[in-house]
């Protein structure tokens, strides 16, 4: 019975991943999103939402170098704000916010995508081998500082032989980290960092 439960758990996870990939692949790429790409970059994903609570629809994009030699180069996250004239303007960029292709271990590329909320977004990552893990980094707009700041890191880990025995951790400021702006965030080095 335990083997059956593990197989069902893996099947459900695979179906969820397939559904996410197919729904994202079906999303058409607007010309304005394509126009935001720096030269030599291939778009991995994009989402549209009001990211700074000004009533206009902004963009967050993730891209990587088109001709990667080692398949492990940095990924570029950019936030684009919609201006009153309707055009997009680059607001912030980071090459340390999204995990690399090889960072997921045996499981492969850990980057699952972006989930938007009003005034912010969450970067979703999942990886591992027998020990599986997930790391989700949530950023929210700071009206005072006029940028996005890390407001939550939610982690989960479990062994594939015991998927019901999960360990969850929730890191929040100021207890676990101080003020970390998106431009300064590093997925490998955020714990205990930031101005308090």
């Amino acid at each position: 019975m335990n083997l059956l439960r593990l197989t069902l758990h893996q099947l459900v996870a695979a179906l969820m991943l397939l559904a996410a990939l197919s729904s994202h692949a079906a999303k058409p790429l607007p010309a304005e999103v394509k126009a935001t790409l720096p030269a030599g970059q291939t778009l991995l994903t994009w989402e549209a939402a009001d990211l700074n609570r000004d009533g206009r629809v902004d963009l967050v994009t993730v891209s990587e170098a088109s001709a990667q030699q080692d398949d492990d180069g940095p990924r570029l996250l950019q936030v684009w704000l919609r201006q009153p004239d309707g055009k997009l303007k680059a607001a912030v960029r980071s090459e340390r916010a999204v995990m690399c292709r090889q960072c997921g271990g045996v499981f492969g590329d850990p980057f699952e995508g972006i989930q938007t909320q009003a005034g912010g977004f969450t970067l979703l990552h999942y990886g591992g081998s027998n020990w599986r893990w997930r790391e989700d980094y949530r950023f929210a707009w700071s009206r005072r500082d006029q940028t996005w700041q890390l407001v939550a890191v939610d982690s989960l880990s479990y062994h594939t032989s015991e998927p019901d025995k999960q360990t969850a951790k929730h890191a929040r400021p100021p207890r676990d980290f101080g003020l970390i702006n998106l431009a300064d965030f590093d997925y490998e080095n955020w714990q205990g960092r930031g101005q308090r």
Side-chain angles (χ1 to χ4, degrees):
M1 183 66 177
N2 198 13
L3 181 61
L4 179 61
R5 188 176 330 142
L6 178 62
T7 304
L8 287 175
H9 178 75
Q10 289 173 332
L11 178 63
V12 168
L15 289 174
M16 288 174 60
L17 181 61
L18 183 61
L21 290 174
S22 65
S23 68
H24 195 72
K27 185 165 60 168
L29 181 64
E32 71 174 351
V33 174
K34 189 174 182 180
T36 65
L37 280 179
Q41 292 278 308
T42 299
L43 187 69
L44 296 178
T45 191
W46 64 277
E47 293 295 333
D50 181 2
L51 299 174
N52 64 346
R53 297 181 180 267
D54 67 354
R56 294 187 288 269
V57 178
D58 310 303
L59 292 179
V60 57
T61 63
V62 175
S63 60
E64 64 185 2
S66 300
Q68 285 195 11
Q69 308 254 332
D70 60 3
D71 200 31
D72 198 23
R75 288 167 162 181
L76 177 62
L77 178 135
Q78 295 185 102
V79 179
W80 304 86
L81 292 181
R82 179 97 41 209
Q83 302 303 297
D85 65 2
K87 295 181 181 176
L88 291 171
K89 179 181 177 184
V92 68
R93 59 185 284 148
S94 171
E95 290 188 343
R96 298 295 304 159
V98 178
M99 291 184 184
C100 68
R101 268 188 194 281
Q102 303 302 319
C103 293
V106 174
F107 195 74
D109 186 352
F111 181 55
E112 289 189 315
I114 305 166
Q115 184 179 62
T116 58
Q117 305 90 33
F121 56 92
T122 304
L123 301 174
L124 309 170
H125 298 89
Y126 178 80
S129 56
N130 284 334
W131 278 101
R132 297 287 170 90
W133 53 265
R134 85 168 298 110
E135 292 272 328
D136 297 336
Y137 308 110
R138 185 161 38 108
F139 296 88
W141 174 252
S142 167
R143 183 170 289 150
R144 184 191 72 189
D145 297 324
Q146 295 292 293
T147 192
W148 294 266
Q149 295 168 339
L150 183 66
V151 295
V153 178
D154 294 312
S155 307
L156 181 74
S157 64
Y158 65 92
H159 195 277
T160 54
S161 65
E162 298 179 298
D164 296 333
K165 292 186 179 180
Q166 299 179 348
T167 301
K169 295 180 183 176
H170 307 285
R172 303 290 187 267
R175 180 189 71 221
D176 304 300
F177 55 88
L179 188 150
I180 302 175
N181 291 331
L182 174 60
D184 303 322
F185 175 74
D186 182 341
Y187 65 82
E188 291 183 305
N189 194 15
W190 58 268
Q191 286 183 307
R193 300 288 178 168
Q195 178 184 349
R196 293 183 190 258

